[in-house]
Amino acid sequence: MEQIKNYWNNQPCNIKHSTKDINTIEYFAEVSKKRYFVEPHIPTFAAFNASQGKRVLEVGCGIGTDAQEFAKNGAIYKGIDLTTKSIEICKQRFTLHNLEGEFEVQNIEEYCPIEAEYDLIYSFGVLHHTPN
């Protein structure tokens, strides 16, 4: 698990989807544009536009691309990620976009949310990286 943590801490997922200055509105816009161009099925699959008022937990929030979509569509959002780097970037993203959310560095193999606390527990492209 430590190898996985170190890998993603050094290179957060999709961090290179933009050449703009990191942690700027322009950077995050370009990252989002590329993510949903490469994976156009995500917005439909995730149903961001149906998350108004829903309590959403995202496992492996990364740099917050899907997180931003949930929050801007009215979700009560919490993101967890194994890495401090991703959580830092995600928090900055939310600050820049005036969005509310809760973030926590957490290993999903050790975290046990009570299902009743959430209307949706979402994860995309994460769980296959965990040993257990």
Side-chain angles (χ1 to χ4, degrees):
M1 186 57 84
E2 200 60 30
Q3 277 184 310
I4 295 166
K5 183 178 182 178
N6 289 337
Y7 178 85
W8 291 115
N9 233 351
N10 290 321
Q11 183 179 333
C13 191
N14 299 330
I15 196 83
K16 296 181 180 178
H17 273 17
S18 176
T19 57
K20 308 278 187 211
D21 289 337
I22 195 166
N23 289 341
T24 63
I25 292 209
E26 296 79 16
Y27 170 82
F28 290 122
E30 198 168 272
V31 167
S32 294
K33 182 178 178 182
K34 183 162 185 181
R35 176 171 172 84
Y36 299 129
F37 175 78
V38 172
E39 301 190 79
H41 54 280
I42 292 176
T44 302
F45 163 80
F48 300 126
N49 61 353
S51 59
Q52 174 71 39
K54 290 186 179 174
R55 298 161 301 170
V56 175
L57 170 66
E58 182 176 8
V59 176
C61 61
I63 63 173
T65 305
D66 293 346
Q68 180 180 346
E69 294 303 312
F70 280 118
K72 81 178 189 184
N73 280 284
I76 303 160
Y77 179 84
K78 179 174 183 175
I80 64 171
D81 199 278
L82 185 62
T83 68
T84 54
K85 184 70 172 173
S86 289
I87 292 294
E88 288 170 8
I89 294 170
C90 201
K91 285 180 178 179
Q92 180 64 29
R93 185 181 206 142
F94 269 53
T95 298
L96 283 171
H97 291 92
N98 296 314
L99 296 171
E100 291 186 31
E102 184 181 340
F103 306 94
E104 187 176 330
V105 176
Q106 190 60 253
N107 177 350
I108 189 56
E109 293 185 357
E110 298 168 358
Y111 184 72
C112 187
I114 298 171
E115 290 180 24
E117 292 180 23
Y118 300 99
D119 300 303
L120 173 66
I121 298 175
Y122 172 85
S123 186
F124 189 87
V126 174
L127 297 179
H128 62 278
H129 292 288
T130 64
N132 298 309

